[in-house]
Amino acid sequence: RKGPDGAYQGDLDSPDQVYIKAITTQPDIQSAQQKWEGAERGKQAAAGALYPKLQLTASIGSGYSGANKESSVNYGLDTIAYTTSGQAVVSYVPHTTEGDVTPWNKQLNDNFNKSFGFKLTIPIFNGLQSNMAYRNAKLNSLYAYYTYQNTQLTLRKNIQQAYADAVGALKKYHAEQKSVASLQEAFNYTKTKFDVGMATALDYNTAKTNLTKAESDLAQA
């Protein structure tokens, strides 16, 4: 925007405002944060290996076979022995008759089985290995955290430096505007004097050169 003197003033967000916006969009920040969160989860997993584990197991099952056939038992008189006199001794003897394959639903019901159990694991012999893994995971998490913090500090430093550069450039721009305005008046005055013979060509060229340089500096600013 322009101020009362017509000079461009500009609108700059404060470093804190820029930082708040940048912290949620910069890829470096997002990457460092995700690495830290991943290292934290790894530390928690490693810590879990230090404690006993209780596991519950359960299973159910059944089966079917085409060789499983139904059978029926019938009792009938049959000779089982003979006496010394040659007389036959008879008795009711079971006779098994094989039938069709047992239906699958009956087989599944007859063969149904289930089991369950508990398994307790105590980290005794691998305790040293688990402790070492946990310490390494803890160090990795700490390193990732400091990397994340350092990335944020670097971002804040860069923003503050950029803000200071922008403010300095804006001040220089305002100064160059004033310099051009001043030298423009000086040139106009010298030109008027030169036109009436009260100034030399050297005076005119010097004023013109100063104005041109100031305009160039303004364009650069």
Side-chain angles (χ1 to χ4, degrees):
R1 65 175 185 268
K2 291 184 177 181
D5 59 352
Y8 176 78
Q9 294 180 337
D11 291 320
L12 290 176
D13 288 343
S14 69
D16 289 338
Q17 290 174 317
V18 177
Y19 178 76
I20 291 174
K21 295 177 182 178
I23 199 71
T24 59
T25 58
Q26 289 296 304
D28 291 346
I29 299 295
Q30 301 301 311
S31 176
Q33 181 179 3
Q34 291 174 3
K35 288 180 180 179
W36 172 49
E37 291 174 351
E40 272 292 296
R41 287 191 290 269
K43 184 183 72 172
Q44 294 172 1
L50 299 175
Y51 300 98
K53 295 180 181 178
L54 179 62
Q55 294 176 303
L56 171 65
T57 60
S59 66
I60 58 174
S62 186
Y64 171 83
S65 173
N68 188 337
K69 297 183 179 181
E70 293 183 324
S71 60
S72 58
V73 178
N74 297 314
Y75 290 88
L77 289 176
D78 204 351
T79 301
I80 62 172
Y82 290 92
T83 65
T84 57
S85 60
Q87 186 178 358
V89 178
V90 296
S91 179
Y92 282 98
V93 178
H95 296 276
T96 302
T97 303
E98 189 177 82
D100 298 330
V101 176
T102 304
W104 68 272
N105 57 340
K106 186 175 186 303
Q107 286 197 43
L108 293 181
N109 185 65
D110 292 341
N111 297 329
F112 181 79
N113 63 84
K114 57 185 177 180
S115 66
F116 68 93
F118 296 93
K119 179 182 179 181
L120 178 63
T121 303
I122 302 176
I124 297 177
F125 298 104
N126 66 337
L128 181 61
Q129 182 179 356
S130 298
N131 284 327
M132 182 64 68
Y134 174 69
R135 285 197 293 267
N136 289 337
K138 190 175 181 179
L139 289 175
N140 289 337
S141 176
L142 193 61
Y143 175 78
Y145 173 74
Y146 285 136
T147 300
Y148 175 46
Q149 293 294 315
N150 185 64
T151 304
Q152 294 184 75
L153 292 175
T154 300
L155 176 63
R156 183 180 289 276
K157 175 185 174 183
N158 291 339
I159 290 174
Q160 291 174 341
Q161 182 62 52
Y163 181 83
D165 292 343
V167 170
L170 187 59
K171 289 181 179 180
K172 182 179 180 182
Y173 175 71
H174 291 162
E176 295 296 343
Q177 280 185 319
K178 294 178 181 179
S179 177
V180 168
S182 176
L183 290 174
Q184 181 68 57
E185 291 183 6
F187 172 73
N188 293 339
Y189 180 70
T190 302
K191 183 177 182 300
T192 300
K193 292 175 61 178
F194 177 75
D195 290 340
V196 297
M198 296 179 62
T200 64
L202 178 60
D203 295 332
Y204 177 84
N205 289 332
T206 299
K208 180 65 175 177
T209 299
N210 291 338
L211 177 59
T212 301
K213 182 178 182 304
E215 290 174 339
S216 176
D217 292 340
L218 175 61
Q220 184 178 0

